[in-house]
Amino acid sequence: MALRNIFKEGESVLRRVAREVTTFDNRLHVLIDDMWETMYKADGVGLAAPQVGIAKRVAVVDIGDGEKLELVNPVISKRKGEQVGFEGCLSIDSSKNGNVIRPMSLVVNALDRNGKPFEYKAEGFKARAICHECDHLDGILFIDKVIKA
Ligand code: NI
């Protein structure tokens, strides 16, 4: 595993719509392993591949509950309710942290690192983190959605 450089706001890769993953090879596994290492080192709870300069639809989430969620080509298929909560991002200066409205619960359909489909249900902070990371794959940053407190 290796640490990757975290791309910051202003880099064009963060604003691109990332490409679907079609090859589930060692290269993808190395990318995901590196994303974990980079995320933990930066004390994050999630990281999307565009944040390490790779415009592919890959994200990882670990909110500290002992579950390491790897999402390849994720699609949020159901959203329920609403929550307002504070967000930040490893790619954005913390002075811009702010409140964002997200669904209270959701269902996400994704592939694992070997291309096997799965469905995952999340609520609360984990649902928030998944939404934040999925937005990254469409070139959307939380600062686009910050509301006044
Ligand atoms: Ni982010």
Side-chain angles (χ1 to χ4, degrees):
M1 293 208 288
L3 280 178
R4 304 244 181 159
N5 184 38
I6 297 180
F7 286 58
K8 302 291 183 184
E9 188 194 358
E11 306 261 16
S12 61
V13 67
L14 292 176
R15 289 304 191 177
R16 241 187 272 161
V17 175
R19 295 181 306 277
E20 296 232 324
V21 173
T22 54
T23 309
F24 298 84
D25 55 3
N26 188 250
R27 197 179 163 84
L28 175 68
H29 299 174
V30 169
L31 169 64
I32 294 171
D33 290 342
D34 288 355
M35 285 171 63
W36 281 124
E37 187 174 350
T38 304
M39 187 201 86
Y40 287 125
K41 172 85 177 184
D43 271 327
V45 296
L47 193 70
Q51 293 182 273
V52 293
I54 306 291
K56 288 186 180 173
R57 304 188 79 81
V58 179
V60 296
V61 172
D62 179 353
I63 62 165
D65 61 354
E67 187 168 26
K68 294 176 66 165
L69 189 58
E70 298 180 346
L71 301 168
V72 178
N73 300 344
V75 175
I76 297 172
S77 54
K78 282 180 197 155
R79 295 172 173 80
K80 210 172 159 189
E82 210 174 80
Q83 57 169 318
V84 177
F86 209 59
E87 288 188 27
C89 178
L90 296 177
S91 295
I92 296 169
D93 191 89
S94 61
S95 65
K96 296 186 178 177
N97 288 2
N99 284 312
V100 180
I101 298 172
R102 301 289 189 185
M104 181 54 81
S105 64
L106 58 76
V107 176
V108 62
N109 292 85
L111 306 176
D112 70 12
R113 60 165 64 202
N114 297 308
K116 186 175 171 225
F118 67 96
E119 185 172 271
Y120 187 86
K121 295 184 177 73
E123 57 180 32
F125 187 66
K126 188 174 278 186
R128 170 175 300 284
I130 290 169
C131 288
H132 179 117
E133 299 314 328
C134 287
D135 272 355
H136 272 300
L137 307 182
D138 289 324
I140 298 165
L141 301 174
F142 84 92
I143 48 174
D144 306 339
K145 298 182 167 182
V146 164
I147 57 164
K148 302 279 178 227

